[in-house]
Amino acid sequence: MEVSDEKQVGLRSLIEGLQSQEEWAHKRAEIKQRWLHVMGGLPERELVSYERLATAEEAGHTRHHIRYRTAYGDQVTAYLLIPHTAMPPNGFPAIIALHPTANSGKDDIALRSGREGRRYALELAERGYAVLAPDTITAGERKANGEEFFHTASFDRQYPTWSAVGKMLVDHLYGVDLLSSLAEVDADRIGAIGHSLGGYNAYFLAGMDTRIKAAAVSCGLSTFQGDPDPNRWGKRDWFSHLPQLTELRGEGLIDFDFHEIAALAAPAPLFFWIAQQDQYMPHWQTIGEAAEQLHQLYDYLGAGSLFQSYIGTSAHDFPDEMRSLAYRFLDRMLAQGAH
């Protein structure tokens, strides 16, 4: 299939032509196959293991500084936050909290020193969730020696047929493996949350792992259509998400858009916040159309109430009121065992 992002008018419908939910399952498998091809695939996972590096007692939770194994012998540094409240019989509901583009990585979302509007890992731990907040590659403790934060050049040289998106995704899959293995966690109630970089990583993860029972995304949904800089996703001189996309776009061979990637998670509960003054993803009208396409799919699957999206006037931020709505969404879908 050849779809030029310059020539295509409007987003492809997710449900047009479908006659049954079985046909959606077939379409979903095709989307997933294309997505795996573009990211360079995912390696087989081995059993996860981790070590505690340090422990700190906070007012409402214990923070464990840990390191867990991931693919090809790499290791992920992370914080594991365990609430001080009484543990439910089956363990705490849990969240994998994914940080935005911040040099401090996990510190931005899990420590009180993090930025306003970004401390969602900390806030969810204080709300009664066990929270895993990992560093992504190129951030926090995982910046490569001799390289700047959020520069993937050394990774791209080492893995020329893979991608940073594939790498982040497999690291987060190992993170879910870790959460699922913990006695403190109810493995049937694991969700994901993130802003910006962490936001799209949250729905990428939900689309590949049915153990994610709900995901909340702030300023992470985007589209190639309408984007003034669609190569933000391709090969760049700093963080190259999917290097193969640059060549595909030049040849008019991009055969998916990101609402289709988000649709891989359906019918798992999804929450999206879209900001009209987002300086990084300014094409909010088309992103809003993508959210509407997703809602139509959820309706088609009989799960319309499990999809929520909001569009507002803020900049690239996760405002207090939107975080509150996201937390309440996660509470309904996870903490109360609604899904």
Side-chain angles (χ1 to χ4, degrees), residues 13-338:
S13 171
L14 294 169
I15 62 172
E16 184 177 355
L18 295 182
Q19 301 298 318
S20 67
Q21 293 192 11
E22 289 73 21
E23 289 188 6
W24 163 248
H26 178 71
K27 182 175 181 178
R28 180 189 182 279
E30 291 180 339
I31 295 169
K32 182 177 179 181
Q33 183 178 20
R34 294 199 301 269
W35 181 225
L36 284 167
H37 175 72
V38 168
M39 75 171 70
L42 293 172
E44 292 292 326
R45 299 199 308 281
E46 301 176 358
L47 289 176
V48 71
S49 61
Y50 76 102
E51 60 177 323
R52 284 189 175 91
L53 305 176
T55 297
E57 296 297 329
E58 298 292 339
H61 67 278
T62 300
R63 183 178 69 251
H64 302 284
H65 183 196
I66 68 170
R67 183 163 52 209
Y68 65 87
R69 68 173 295 175
T70 184
Y72 302 131
D74 196 11
Q75 297 187 88
V76 178
T77 45
Y79 291 135
L80 175 64
L81 312 180
I82 303 296
H84 286 167
T85 54
M87 187 174 73
N90 295 325
F92 294 106
I95 296 288
I96 181 166
L98 307 175
H99 66 75
T101 307
N103 291 353
S104 60
K106 63 188 181 301
D107 290 15
D108 196 37
I109 62 173
L111 301 185
R112 299 192 192 281
S113 59
R115 292 173 294 168
E116 286 292 327
R118 304 294 188 273
R119 295 187 288 265
Y120 40 87
L122 174 65
E123 292 167 351
L124 285 165
E126 293 177 340
R127 203 175 178 93
Y129 290 87
V131 180
L132 179 68
D135 280 325
T136 193
I137 56 165
T138 72
E141 296 178 84
R142 299 181 71 197
K143 182 177 79 68
N145 289 333
E147 200 160 64
E148 297 180 42
F149 288 105
F150 291 99
H151 280 239
T152 56
S154 62
F155 171 82
D156 295 334
R157 285 193 298 269
Q158 186 175 4
Y159 299 100
T161 62
W162 206 15
S163 67
V165 165
K167 169 58 172 165
M168 292 186 293
L169 182 52
V170 76
D171 289 351
H172 300 151
L173 288 166
Y174 270 97
V176 180
D177 291 344
L178 173 59
L179 282 172
S180 299
S181 74
L182 298 175
E184 298 93 335
V185 167
D186 184 342
D188 292 325
R189 295 191 290 164
I190 298 176
I193 192 171
H195 170 74
S196 190
L197 172 78
Y200 46 82
N201 274 314
Y203 76 77
F204 292 171
L205 176 61
M208 287 289 172
D209 195 333
T210 57
R211 294 174 299 175
I212 299 298
K213 303 303 183 184
V217 176
S218 166
C219 297
L221 184 61
S222 189
T223 59
F224 296 125
Q225 291 293 307
D227 192 337
D229 181 22
N231 197 54
R232 74 178 74 247
W233 301 101
K235 191 171 184 178
R236 304 185 292 179
D237 60 2
W238 62 298
F239 195 95
S240 295
H241 292 81
L242 297 156
Q244 187 182 162
L245 279 183
T246 298
E247 182 177 349
L248 290 175
R249 179 172 176 266
E251 297 176 359
L253 296 176
I254 296 178
D255 59 354
F256 69 92
D257 213 322
F258 283 109
H259 68 308
E260 295 171 289
I261 306 308
L264 295 175
L270 287 182
F271 173 102
F272 286 100
W273 158 239
I274 300 160
Q276 290 175 314
Q277 304 302 317
D278 190 327
Q279 63 270 40
Y280 303 110
M281 300 175 184
H283 51 304
W284 62 269
Q285 296 97 330
T286 311
I287 297 171
E289 180 187 346
E292 174 56 25
Q293 291 268 4
L294 286 161
H295 191 214
Q296 290 175 11
L297 173 64
Y298 272 70
D299 273 341
Y300 182 82
L301 298 176
S305 65
L306 302 183
F307 183 87
Q308 287 188 7
S309 64
Y310 296 86
I311 299 177
T313 58
S314 87
H316 190 77
D317 200 3
F318 202 173
D320 292 350
E321 60 271 28
M322 287 300 114
R323 295 200 316 284
S324 178
L325 286 170
Y327 299 164
R328 285 158 53 192
F329 179 83
L330 293 170
D331 287 348
R332 289 196 303 275
M333 302 304 168
L334 297 173
Q336 297 170 9

